[in-house]
Structures are given as C-alpha cells and as structure tokens.
Amino acid sequence: MKHYFKHLPVLAVLVLFGALVLFSDEAAEGARQGLSVCAATLIPSLLPFFVLANLLASMGLPELLGHMAGGVMEGLFHISPAGAQAFFLGLSGGYPLGASVVADLRRSERVTKSEGERLLAFCNNSGPAFIIGAAGGVFQSPRAGILLYIAHVLGAVTVGVLLRGRRTELSAIDTPNLPEPRSFSAAFPAAVAKAVGSAMTVCGYVVLFSALLNLLTPLALLPPLPRAVVTGFLELGSGVSALAGLSPTPGALAAASFMLGWGGISVHCQTLGVLDGTDISCARHLLGRALCGLFSAGYTFLLARLL
C-alpha cells in the first residue's frame, strides 16, 4: 500500500498537467487574472516593503530591536532576542519574509530547531502594506484595512502565546554567529535584488494557482463570499481580490481576516521553499496559520461590530 501512496504526488501532477492541456484556454485566462493581481496589487504593495525590510535587516536594525525588546519577547513568547527579529519583520514585511528570517536564523545557528519551529507558527504573517493597501482597497476603506491589520497582529500574538514552549526549552546558543551590519552602499543593491527575487517568486505562485483555480468550474457557482473564501484558502491574493464589490460587513471582514491569517496553500508552498536546507518542520506553520486565521476572524468580527 505504501508503494502506491509514494506515487500519489506524481499522479496528482499528471492529472493537473492533463487538465492544463485539455482546458488551456481557461488556464490561460486564470493566469492572466493572476498577472493582473500581481501588477495591480501585489508588486506595488509588497516590493517596497521587501526592499526596506531586507535593507534594515542587512544594516542590523532587527538585531537592535530584538535586543531592546528581548525581555518582553522572552516573557511573552519564550523566545530569544534573535527570534524576536523574526516576529518584527514577519509582521512588517509580509509572506513569506517571516519564514525566510526564521530559516536564516536557523542556518546561522542563532536559534535552536525547537525555537525555530515555534517561531514559524506565529512569525510568518501578512504585512501592513498588503492588508491595508490591498485588503482595505477591495473594500474601498483604509479604516477596514487598519482594522484587519490590528486583528491580524492580535491573532499572531495569541498564537505565539498559546504555542510558546516552556522556558526550559529555550536553549540559547552561547556563541551565536552574529552577522556584521553592512554599509548602506553595499546593503541597498543587495536588498533590491533580493526583494525583486522574492516578489517574483510570490507572483509565480499567484499566477500558477490562479491558472489552476480557473479550472474549478463548480467554484463559479458559489455565492461571492464563499467563493472568495474557497479561493483564498488556496491562494491569498486571488481570494482577497475576489472580495471586490462586497460591502465591509462584519462577516465579509471576518472572511477576509481568516484568509489573511491562513495565508493560503500557495503561501505554505512558498514557506516550504524558503525552509529548504534547514531541519525545521512545517507542521507548526500549518497549525499556526490555521489558528491565526480563526483568531483573527474572531477578533475582526468583534471589532467590526463594536465600531
């Protein structure tokens, strides 16, 4: 039986390949929609933040913030000052920057395997540029975007507290391999190059999943809000874009918040990519994103009804 299960991924890829060949027009239209989402929403909202986040990381700001807030972060999440920078960058730069920072920390042996997996559960988040600019933009309400971001942060904090390890599990590394801060002249070109590569990777996943989603004919039969949630469960950018035209009701905002917290299968695939070469398991990431989606949706629903 195990012999057959081993070949399931190959079979799934062959089925998708056949679907793309048989329904090439539908797939091409989905890819065009994905490119439109990238050009109109993702690149404008993500690329500048990717550049600045990479630039600040190269110049040593995350280490400074991590050490300044080290006591608070250790008390709240039971993480080290090095791990704290993943939390700050994850909430400011967007998917999959938080996972990339955690992977880099683990490769340089600045966090343990246990801490890296706990960090991954709540530090890989959507950024303010995408939430306020893109998600708030589909509702034509910056106020709705700010509400969604606040709920997203609260969801991440809640997950971090729930999944924190015991203090005895935080085994600080005695001789961390701390990188030397780079000068602006050296850091800026490298930050732009890395940001462009990250943005193109994100867009590649968006276009691919948009093409595959357009093959799901039954999806078009669903009402707008459930259709957006199902789409967002698979690919975040397309799911958020599918909310366009809906009123910012508590239910619609909660649905958007769940998608932002969950991130979509596309984000999970990106996370697997940036974790390649490390010993960090992605299981905590799946659990953390599911919990963050649920908590964020709950916070959003409550806050939207109070405003």
Side-chain angles (χ1 to χ4, degrees), residues 77-101:
F77 302 127
H78 297 175
I79 61 176
S80 64
Q85 46 184 294
F87 178 72
F88 292 127
L89 284 174
L91 281 173
S92 61
Y95 298 120
L97 182 61
S100 179
V101 174

Side-chain angles (χ1 to χ4, degrees), residues 245-299:
L246 296 180
S247 301
T249 62
L253 289 171
S257 195
F258 172 77
M259 289 188 287
L260 291 165
W262 165 247
I265 300 299
S266 174
V267 164
H268 296 297
C269 291
Q270 295 171 49
T271 301
L272 286 172
V274 299
L275 292 178
D276 186 41
T278 72
D279 57 358
I280 297 177
S281 169
C282 204
R284 282 287 185 98
H285 183 260
L286 288 169
L287 176 61
R289 298 273 42 88
L291 289 175
C292 187
L294 293 172
F295 281 119
S296 299
Y299 288 135

